[in-house]
Structure formats: structure tokens, C-alpha cells
Coordinates of all heavy atoms in Angstrom, one line a residue:
F16 N 0.8 -1.2 0.0 CA 0.0 0.0 0.0 C 0.9 1.3 0.0 O 1.8 1.4 0.7 CB -0.9 0.0 1.2 CG -1.7 1.3 1.4 CD1 -2.8 1.5 0.5 CD2 -1.4 2.2 2.3 CE1 -3.5 2.7 0.6 CE2 -2.1 3.4 2.4 CZ -3.2 3.6 1.6
Q17 N 0.5 2.2 -0.8 CA 1.1 3.5 -0.9 C 0.0 4.6 -0.6 O -0.9 4.7 -1.3 CB 1.8 3.8 -2.2 CG 2.9 2.9 -2.5 CD 4.1 3.2 -1.6 OE1 4.4 4.4 -1.3 NE2 4.8 2.2 -1.1
P18 N 0.2 5.4 0.5 CA -0.8 6.4 0.8 C -0.9 7.5 -0.2 O 0.1 8.0 -0.7 CB -0.3 6.9 2.2 CG 1.1 6.6 2.2 CD 1.3 5.4 1.4
G19 N -2.1 7.9 -0.5 CA -2.4 9.0 -1.4 C -2.7 10.3 -0.6 O -2.5 10.3 0.6
E20 N -3.0 11.3 -1.3 CA -3.2 12.6 -0.6 C -4.3 12.6 0.4 O -4.2 13.2 1.5 CB -3.6 13.7 -1.7 CG -2.4 14.1 -2.6 CD -2.8 15.3 -3.5 OE1 -3.8 15.9 -3.2 OE2 -2.0 15.5 -4.4
Q21 N -5.4 11.9 0.1 CA -6.5 11.8 1.1 C -6.0 11.0 2.4 O -6.4 11.4 3.5 CB -7.7 11.1 0.5 CG -8.9 11.1 1.4 CD -10.1 10.5 0.6 OE1 -10.1 10.1 -0.5 NE2 -11.3 10.5 1.3
D22 N -5.2 10.0 2.2 CA -4.7 9.2 3.3 C -3.7 10.1 4.1 O -3.8 10.1 5.4 CB -3.9 8.0 2.8 CG -4.8 7.1 2.0 OD1 -5.8 6.6 2.5 OD2 -4.4 6.8 0.8
L23 N -2.9 10.8 3.5 CA -1.9 11.7 4.2 C -2.5 12.8 5.0 O -1.9 13.3 5.9 CB -0.9 12.2 3.1 CG 0.0 11.2 2.4 CD1 0.8 11.9 1.3 CD2 0.9 10.4 3.4
A24 N -3.7 13.2 4.6 CA -4.4 14.2 5.3 C -4.7 13.8 6.8 O -4.9 14.7 7.6 CB -5.7 14.6 4.6
L25 N -4.7 12.5 7.0 CA -4.9 12.0 8.4 C -3.8 12.4 9.3 O -4.0 12.4 10.6 CB -5.1 10.5 8.4 CG -6.3 10.0 7.6 CD1 -6.2 8.4 7.5 CD2 -7.6 10.4 8.2
L26 N -2.7 12.8 8.8 CA -1.5 13.1 9.7 C -1.6 14.5 10.2 O -1.0 14.9 11.2 CB -0.2 12.9 8.9 CG 0.1 11.6 8.3 CD1 1.4 11.6 7.5 CD2 0.2 10.5 9.4
K27 N -2.4 15.4 9.5 CA -2.3 16.8 9.7 C -2.6 17.2 11.2 O -2.0 18.1 11.7 CB -3.3 17.5 8.8 CG -3.2 19.0 8.8 CD -4.1 19.7 7.8 CE -5.6 19.4 8.0 NZ -6.5 20.1 7.1
D28 N -3.7 16.6 11.8 CA -4.1 17.1 13.1 C -3.6 16.2 14.2 O -4.0 16.4 15.4 CB -5.6 17.1 13.1 CG -6.2 18.1 12.1 OD1 -5.6 19.2 12.0 OD2 -7.2 17.9 11.5
A29 N -2.8 15.2 14.0 CA -2.3 14.3 15.0 C -1.1 14.9 15.8 O -0.3 15.7 15.2 CB -1.9 13.0 14.4
R30 N -1.0 14.5 17.0 CA 0.2 14.9 17.8 C 1.3 13.8 17.8 O 2.5 14.1 17.9 CB -0.2 15.2 19.3 CG -0.9 16.5 19.5 CD -1.2 16.7 20.9 NE 0.0 16.7 21.8 CZ 0.0 16.6 23.1 NH1 -1.2 16.5 23.7 NH2 1.1 16.5 23.8
L31 N 0.8 12.5 17.8 CA 1.7 11.4 17.9 C 1.5 10.4 16.8 O 0.4 10.2 16.4 CB 1.6 10.7 19.3 CG 1.8 11.4 20.6 CD1 1.5 10.5 21.8 CD2 3.2 12.0 20.6
F32 N 2.6 9.9 16.3 CA 2.5 8.9 15.2 C 3.2 7.6 15.7 O 4.4 7.7 16.0 CB 3.2 9.4 14.0 CG 3.5 8.5 12.8 CD1 2.6 8.4 11.8 CD2 4.6 7.6 12.9 CE1 2.8 7.6 10.7 CE2 4.8 6.7 11.8 CZ 3.9 6.7 10.7
F33 N 2.5 6.5 15.8 CA 3.1 5.3 16.2 C 3.2 4.3 15.1 O 2.3 4.1 14.3 CB 2.2 4.6 17.3 CG 2.3 5.3 18.7 CD1 1.5 6.3 19.0 CD2 3.3 4.8 19.6 CE1 1.6 6.9 20.3 CE2 3.4 5.4 20.8 CZ 2.5 6.4 21.2
H34 N 4.4 3.6 15.0 CA 4.6 2.6 14.0 C 5.4 1.4 14.6 O 6.0 1.6 15.7 CB 5.3 3.1 12.7 CG 6.7 3.5 13.0 ND1 7.8 2.8 12.5 CD2 7.2 4.6 13.6 CE1 8.9 3.4 12.8 NE2 8.6 4.5 13.5
A35 N 5.4 0.3 13.9 CA 6.1 -0.9 14.5 C 7.5 -1.1 13.9 O 8.2 -2.0 14.3 CB 5.3 -2.1 14.3
G36 N 7.9 -0.3 12.9 CA 9.2 -0.4 12.3 C 9.3 -1.4 11.2 O 10.4 -1.8 10.8
G37 N 8.2 -1.8 10.6 CA 8.2 -2.8 9.5 C 8.4 -2.1 8.2 O 8.2 -0.9 8.0
S38 N 8.9 -2.9 7.2 CA 9.1 -2.4 5.9 C 7.8 -1.9 5.3 O 7.8 -1.0 4.4 CB 9.7 -3.4 5.0 OG 8.8 -4.5 4.8
Y39 N 6.6 -2.5 5.7 CA 5.4 -2.1 5.1 C 4.8 -0.8 5.7 O 3.7 -0.4 5.4 CB 4.3 -3.2 5.4 CG 4.5 -3.9 6.7 CD1 4.2 -3.3 7.9 CD2 5.1 -5.2 6.7 CE1 4.4 -4.0 9.1 CE2 5.3 -5.9 7.9 CZ 4.9 -5.3 9.1 OH 5.1 -5.9 10.3
E40 N 5.6 -0.1 6.5 CA 5.2 1.1 7.1 C 6.1 2.3 6.7 O 5.9 3.4 7.0 CB 5.3 1.1 8.6 CG 4.4 0.0 9.2 CD 4.7 -0.3 10.7 OE1 5.9 -0.8 10.9 OE2 3.9 0.0 11.6
K41 N 7.1 2.0 5.8 CA 8.1 3.0 5.5 C 7.5 4.3 4.8 O 7.9 5.4 5.1 CB 9.1 2.4 4.6 CG 10.1 1.5 5.3 CD 11.2 1.0 4.4 CE 12.2 0.2 5.2 NZ 13.3 -0.4 4.4
A42 N 6.5 4.0 3.9 CA 5.9 5.2 3.2 C 5.2 6.1 4.2 O 5.2 7.3 4.1 CB 4.9 4.7 2.2
W43 N 4.5 5.5 5.2 CA 3.9 6.3 6.3 C 4.9 7.1 7.1 O 4.7 8.2 7.5 CB 3.1 5.4 7.2 CG 1.7 5.0 6.6 CD1 1.3 3.8 6.4 CD2 0.6 5.9 6.3 NE1 0.0 3.8 5.9 CE2 -0.4 5.1 5.8 CE3 0.5 7.3 6.3 CZ2 -1.6 5.6 5.4 CZ3 -0.8 7.8 5.9 CH2 -1.8 7.0 5.5

């Protein structure tokens, strides 16, 4: 999966971003 503009908009109002460090999260 590759996030598009609509997906990336979800980042705008967040304070914290959590990920697990996997290769499938690199785009995020």
C-alpha cells in the first residue's frame, strides 16, 4: 500500500505517530 493525498491528510491534526518499524510502514 502507498498512501495518497487523502490518506496523508490524516496526519495533519495528530500529535503522535506510532509505527512498528516494519518495511510495510516506510511510506507512512
Side-chain angles (χ1 to χ4, degrees):
F16 176 72
Q17 292 293 317
E20 289 187 13
Q21 187 173 1
D22 303 302
L23 296 175
L25 297 172
L26 302 175
K27 185 175 65 172
D28 297 323
R30 282 183 60 194
L31 300 179
F32 171 98
F33 284 91
H34 68 109
S38 65
Y39 35 74
E40 301 164 293
K41 285 183 178 179
W43 281 118

